[in-house]
Amino acid sequence: MKKVVFVTNLLPHYQIDFFNRLVDISHDIELTVFANISENSDLNNANDIFCNFNVVNVSLKNFKGVVFRNNLNGLRRKIDDIDPDSLIFYGNPREFSLTALMFFYWMTGRVFYVHGMFHRIGGQNLLSKLYYRFVGMIASKCLVYSRKGAEVLLGLGVKHNKIKIIGTALDEEKHISYANNINNESLIKFKKDNSLLNKKVVLQVVRLSKIKKPELILSVAKKLSKVRSDIVFVLVGGGELYSQIKDDIKKHELDGIVLLLGSIYDNDQLSYWFKSANVFVVPTCIGLSAHHAFSYSLPIVTDDNLLEQASEFDILSDGLNSLLYESGNVESFKNKILEILDDEDLQLFLSKNALYTVSRTHSLDVKCNNYLSVLQEASFG
């Protein structure tokens, strides 16, 4: 068995799905993940989901956005006791203690890799540039989420043979299964119970945070409410802007036009909202929700702002599985949504390609195989 150690921060469900699949596919990996599984967070699911890999708790402290590992020497000793064939660190420019550990291993000649975004939403700042350049120098390989991260590293002078695009993914099979388990009779009942019959549903399932700009959805809803009565906007998710969005819905008299549901974590319940929708929207900075929506054959509308978009933007292809609107232009946003809602042939075309994208070209298996190719090439001969 080849011993692999991955040092990260938290263990959300999608990361657990990835590690589980990685072990299942490889058959000859003994994986140990060091993470802060004791933190009470929505992004920490190691205590709720079966893990077919070893998990070691390493507590973290967060001070004004800067992350510190408790007992860094203890972490180093645990890694050295395992003596892994492959060592991977999660790359976070704001985690200085882990950067120090990387530097130690580089000085002592141990080979390691760094896995991360390697780009910053909104553009690079001095800290991110220095971090990415430094990590690109000391790591044997940088395992990046997307082409965007690879381009940043290349622009900073990192050699192309040290960069590997791993990709992004969710366990699409799980969500496709949820979708297929809903029959037409139960879906009609759900729509009837939620006043969605004969309505065209525009869905968003993300945290309501400033970086996502959910207020733009309300701007579109306000415009359309004056001329259309057959469109409903459904917003699923909590977050820092939840109260503000709730107040704005009331202020602009959008009750019944915009449904604000809060957080929904139950996949059975969530699947009915996805199956009821015609189009999925995130004004900008689309993340893993892109994979989620595509698993339900939902086309996506988001903006074309390369500085504001996240790594998952890579899986979108304008006119093939999604439509992109001009960043900051509410009229363009509105028109792209209407293009899909009012053209059944276009919606069907985009929907088929959306499902193909996550089931074939950007699936969890593809991501795992990309990962394994790096580990096999560098460590397993």
Side-chain angles (χ1 to χ4, degrees), residues 106-152:
W106 178 67
M107 291 292 291
T108 56
R110 177 180 277 279
V111 171
F112 64 88
Y113 318 117
V114 180
H115 185 194
M117 282 176 53
F118 289 101
H119 69 90
R120 179 177 175 274
I121 305 301
Q124 310 316 309
N125 59 19
L126 180 60
L127 173 62
S128 64
K129 287 180 181 179
L130 290 174
Y131 177 83
Y132 297 151
R133 192 189 300 271
F134 179 69
V135 168
M137 178 185 73
I138 66 175
S140 295
K141 273 197 185 298
C142 297
L143 312 181
V144 303
Y145 294 168
S146 69
R147 181 175 299 182
K148 188 172 182 179
E151 290 172 346
V152 169

Side-chain angles (χ1 to χ4, degrees), residues 133 149-158 163:
R133 192 189 300 271
E151 290 172 346
V152 169
L153 289 176
L154 288 171
L156 292 172
V158 179
I163 303 169

Side-chain angles (χ1 to χ4, degrees), residues 72-317:
L72 196 61
N73 282 330
L75 172 60
R76 178 188 59 79
R77 285 194 296 269
K78 289 177 181 178
I79 293 172
D80 291 345
D81 286 344
I82 295 173
D83 190 22
D85 297 284
S86 295
L87 174 61
I88 306 114
F89 293 103
Y90 171 66
N92 180 0
R94 291 187 171 274
E95 188 170 346
F96 300 146
S97 53
L98 206 56
T99 307
L101 186 56
M102 293 180 204
F103 181 70
F104 169 82
Y105 279 129
W106 178 67
M107 291 292 291
T108 56
R110 177 180 277 279
V111 171
F112 64 88
Y113 318 117
V114 180
H115 185 194
M117 282 176 53
F118 289 101
H119 69 90
R120 179 177 175 274
I121 305 301
Q124 310 316 309
N125 59 19
L126 180 60
L127 173 62
S128 64
K129 287 180 181 179
L130 290 174
Y131 177 83
Y132 297 151
R133 192 189 300 271
F134 179 69
V135 168
M137 178 185 73
I138 66 175
S140 295
K141 273 197 185 298
C142 297
L143 312 181
V144 303
Y145 294 168
S146 69
R147 181 175 299 182
K148 188 172 182 179
E151 290 172 346
V152 169
L153 289 176
L154 288 171
L156 292 172
V158 179
K159 295 179 180 179
H160 70 89
N161 60 356
K162 296 186 73 173
I163 303 169
K164 173 67 175 180
I165 299 175
I166 299 299
T168 60
L170 286 178
D171 184 355
E172 76 289 343
E173 293 178 1
K174 177 166 51 178
H175 298 296
I176 291 170
S177 176
Y178 280 116
N180 292 338
N181 285 338
I182 296 177
N183 59 47
N184 192 53
E185 182 180 350
S186 64
L187 183 60
I188 290 174
K189 182 179 184 303
F190 177 83
K191 289 183 176 181
K192 184 177 180 180
D193 292 344
N194 290 278
S195 302
L196 299 178
L197 280 178
N198 302 316
K199 298 288 187 179
K200 296 179 178 181
V201 178
V202 181
L203 177 67
Q204 175 182 268
V205 183
V206 297
R207 283 182 59 82
L208 300 174
S209 58
K210 291 180 181 178
I211 201 169
K212 304 287 186 182
K213 301 182 180 178
E215 67 277 2
L216 294 181
I217 295 178
L218 301 191
S219 297
V220 171
K222 187 176 179 181
K223 282 177 173 287
L224 288 178
S225 67
K226 298 175 181 177
V227 295
R228 300 284 290 263
S229 60
D230 61 333
I231 300 175
V232 175
F233 292 80
V234 178
L235 307 185
V236 178
E240 64 197 62
L241 295 184
Y242 180 85
S243 296
Q244 179 183 323
I245 295 297
K246 183 179 180 180
D247 291 342
D248 287 346
I249 289 172
K250 184 176 182 180
K251 175 182 176 182
H252 297 297
E253 300 179 341
L254 294 173
D255 292 294
I257 299 165
V258 179
L259 306 182
L260 185 63
L261 303 183
S263 300
I264 299 176
Y265 296 111
D266 183 270
N267 277 308
D268 287 313
Q269 183 183 358
L270 197 55
S271 62
Y272 277 92
W273 289 106
F274 274 102
K275 285 289 287 184
S276 298
N278 302 90
V279 61
F280 188 88
V281 300
V282 177
T284 193
C285 192
I286 195 161
L288 283 169
S289 58
H291 289 273
H292 204 170
F294 280 178
S295 297
Y296 285 89
S297 304
L298 276 180
I300 289 171
V301 175
T302 189
D303 77 356
D304 59 2
N305 191 330
L306 296 178
L307 282 178
E308 299 293 339
Q309 287 290 356
S311 300
E312 289 77 10
F313 188 69
D314 260 18
I315 78 170
L316 272 58
S317 182

Side-chain angles (χ1 to χ4, degrees), residues 7-58:
V7 184
T8 187
N9 47 9
L10 303 175
L11 270 180
H13 65 87
Y14 51 83
Q15 190 80 314
I16 294 172
D17 289 341
F18 166 63
F19 287 137
N20 281 339
R21 186 71 61 85
L22 191 69
V23 172
D24 288 342
I25 290 176
S26 68
H27 301 299
D28 64 348
I29 281 181
E30 181 182 345
L31 175 64
T32 301
V33 177
F34 289 86
N36 181 22
I37 62 172
S38 60
E39 181 174 329
N40 184 20
S41 167
D42 293 338
L43 292 175
N44 222 0
N45 306 116
N47 298 316
D48 307 317
I49 302 174
F50 171 74
C51 299
N52 62 2
F53 52 91
N54 303 314
V55 181
V56 179
N57 182 56
V58 180

